[in-house]
Amino acid sequence: MQEKREQKDSNALNILLSTTLSRLGSKTWEFATPLLILEWSPGSLAAPAALGLTRALFQTLFSPYLGNMADHQWDRMSTVWIGTSMQAVGCLMSVCVLLLYNFSINVDGNNASMMHLFSLLLVIAAGVIESLGAQLSSVAVKKEWLPIIFSEEEVNVSSAISAERNNQKMLNTRIFSSLNIQNPITLSFINTAMTNIDLIAKMFGPVLAGWVLEVLAHNDRSLQRGFVFIATTNVVSFVPEIYLLRKVYQSCLALQLRCVVDDDVKSMKQQTQTSSSNKKDDVSPWIIWINHPSGLPLLTLSLASLYMTALAPDGVVLTSYLVTIGMSPTSIGAFRGIGAVSGVLGICLFSLLRNNYDDKNESNNSDGQQSILVKSIERLRGLSLAFLLLEVVTILVAAAAFVKCDTTSLENNESLSWQIYIFLGSIVLSRAGLYSFDVGVLEIEQYIVDERFRNAVGSVEGALCSLCEMGMYVLSIALPNPSQFGVQVGVSASAVSFGSICFGLFLCSYHMHLHHHHDDEDEYHDHNHSHGHHHNHHHHRHTLQQERDLAKQNGYHVHLHRHNRTWGFT
C-alpha cells in the first residue's frame, strides 16, 4: 500500500513539473508572438488582431474533432505526443517564416508584396497549429489523465482516511515530505495546484519573455533574436515535458488500458443498449456534448460565458483601453500582477474551505463511501456557486462604477478618480471568484463526464470558450473608439450574469443521490431509481463508469441526474 502511495505521489510530482514547463513556455510564447507579428504591420494592430481572431476561429471549428479523434483513434500517450509535436511544429515554423520575411524585405517590386503577405499568412498558420496542439495536450492531461490516475485514490481516501490519520498522523511520503504537502495526494489537490501554476505562469511568463526580448534586442531594438530564442527554448522544453508524462503513463496501467476497459464492461447486461446508443451519439463531438447526461451542457455554458469579457486584467481589450486613457505601463503591469495574486488567494481559500468541510465529515460519517461522495460533491457544487456569485457581484459593481467613471482626469494626467479605483479593484477581486469557480467546474466535470468522451467534451468546452473570446474581439473591432468601451463592459456583465443563470439551472435541475436500480431495468437511459427521500421514479442516462458502479455494487450507485424536465437536457 505504501509503495502504491509513493508511486501516485511520484506521478503527481511529474505531472506538476511537466505542467510548470508547459505553462511557463506557453505564456512566454503568447506574450512574444503578438510583438513579433507587429513586424508585418508596424504601427497597426491589424496583424495581431488577425492572429487572435484566426486562432479563436480554428479552435472553435477544429478542437472538438481533434478531441474526438483522441477518444477513439489514439491512445493516451499518442494524444500528448501529437499535441506537443504540433506545438513544436508551430514554434519552428514561426522561426522559418521569420527568415522568409527577412528575405522578402530585400526583394523589389510586386514579388515583395506577395512574399510579405504570404509570410504573414504562414506565421498566422504557425500560431494556429501551436494553439491547437497546446489545447489538445492540455485537455488530455487535465480532463482525462488526472481523473484516471487519482480517482481511485479519492475513493480510498473517503473510506480510510479517518483511520489513517489516527494511526499515522505524521505520515508523509518520501517525495513530498520536505514540501509538507497533504498526504495522500487527491484529485482536488492536483486540480488546485495546476490552476495555481497557470496563474503563476501568467505573472512571470510575460516578465521573463519581456526581459529576454529586451536583453537580446541590443542596439537595433529588434525583437527577432529574442523571439527565436523563446521559440527554440520552447521546442527544447517539450523533451522533458514528454519524458515526465511518459514516466507517468508507463507507471499507471489504467492509462494504457483504454480498449480493455471497454471489453470489461461488455459483460454487463446493459452494454448492448449502451453501444448502440453511443454509435448514434458518436457522429459529432457536439452531439456527444449536447446529449451527455448529468447536465453537462448547462455546466459548460456557465463556464464558457465567463470568457466573453473585456474585464480581464491580462486581457488585450482592457489593457488597450487603459493605455488609451493614459494609464502608465507600470500601473497596468501592477494591475495585472495583483489580478493574478487575487486568483491564487481565491483558489487557496476555495481549497481551504473544501478540505476543512471534508475533515469534519470524515470522522463523524458512518454511511460509507457513497454517502461521503454525495456530500463531497454537493459541497463542491455549493462552494462553486458561492465563488461564482463573488464573480458576478464584483463584475456588476465594476460595471456600475464604470458608468459613473470620468476618464478625463487620466487623460489630463490627473490623479485617479474614486470610480476608477472601484472599477479596477472590483475586476481584481473578480479573479478570485473566476479561478475558484473554474477549479470547481473542472472537478465536477472530471466526475460526471463519460470516460470514453473526455477529450471530445473537453475540446468542445475549449471551443465554446474560444467562441466567446472571439465574440469580444469582434465587438471590439466593430466598436474601436475608447468612448464606446462601455458597450464591452455591459456585454461582459451580461455574459457573467447569463453564466450564473446556467449554473443555477444546473444546481436546481440536477441532484446528487445515492440510489438503487432494480434488476429488471434493461434500458441504458430508462433506469428507474429509488431514493431514501421518496422521490418519484425518473428516467436518466448513465456514463460508462456509472454502469460499472452499478455492476460492482449490486445496483447501488451515486450520480447527478435530472429530477425535472428542464431545457430538454437529460
Side-chain angles (χ1 to χ4, degrees), residues 180-345:
N180 196 28
I181 291 176
Q182 71 175 77
N183 181 58
I185 303 299
T186 63
L187 181 61
S188 178
F189 169 79
I190 290 294
N191 289 333
T192 300
M194 291 184 70
T195 305
N196 280 332
I197 288 172
D198 188 49
L199 286 170
I200 293 172
K202 283 186 177 181
M203 284 190 285
F204 294 105
V207 174
L208 178 61
W211 178 78
V212 169
L213 292 171
E214 185 175 353
V215 168
L216 297 181
H218 295 300
N219 296 327
D220 57 4
R221 310 305 298 170
S222 174
L223 301 179
Q224 294 187 15
R225 284 184 294 271
F227 177 80
V228 171
F229 178 82
I230 291 173
T232 305
T233 304
N234 264 287
V235 172
V236 172
S237 71
F238 294 144
V239 176
E241 287 177 36
I242 285 294
Y243 171 75
L244 291 170
L245 291 178
R246 185 164 184 80
K247 286 182 63 177
V248 175
Y249 181 79
Q250 291 176 335
S251 67
C252 183
L253 184 62
L255 286 176
Q256 306 170 33
L257 298 179
R258 183 191 300 278
C259 295
V260 175
V261 169
D262 289 342
D263 291 339
D264 290 341
V265 186
K266 286 181 181 179
S267 60
M268 299 179 184
K269 62 182 180 182
Q270 298 94 349
Q271 182 62 27
T272 302
Q273 290 82 0
T274 301
S275 299
S276 61
S277 175
N278 285 336
K279 288 178 182 177
K280 297 177 182 178
D281 289 348
D282 193 33
V283 174
S284 164
W286 294 95
I287 293 177
I288 293 173
W289 171 73
I290 199 68
N291 288 326
H292 197 283
S294 301
L296 179 66
L298 284 173
L299 183 62
T300 304
L301 288 175
S302 67
L303 178 63
S305 299
L306 305 185
Y307 282 77
M308 183 174 280
T309 182
L311 304 182
D314 58 341
V316 175
V317 176
L318 181 58
T319 299
S320 301
Y321 173 75
L322 294 178
V323 170
T324 60
I325 65 174
M327 196 168 178
S328 69
T330 302
S331 299
I332 295 174
F335 170 62
R336 295 178 67 161
I338 295 173
V341 171
S342 174
V344 172
L345 294 177

Side-chain angles (χ1 to χ4, degrees), residues 28 33 69 82-83 85 162 355 438 455 470 505 563 570:
T28 56
T33 303
M69 292 175 69
I82 292 171
S85 298
S162 180
N355 291 338
D438 182 68
N455 285 291
M470 187 170 61
L505 288 173
H563 278 257
T570 58

Side-chain angles (χ1 to χ4, degrees), residues 29 45 48 61 81-82 90 177 180 191 208 238 260 353 368 521 537:
W29 174 262
L45 297 179
L61 295 177
W81 263 104
I82 292 171
S177 59
N180 196 28
N191 289 333
L208 178 61
F238 294 144
V260 175
L353 292 173
E521 296 168 350
H537 291 294

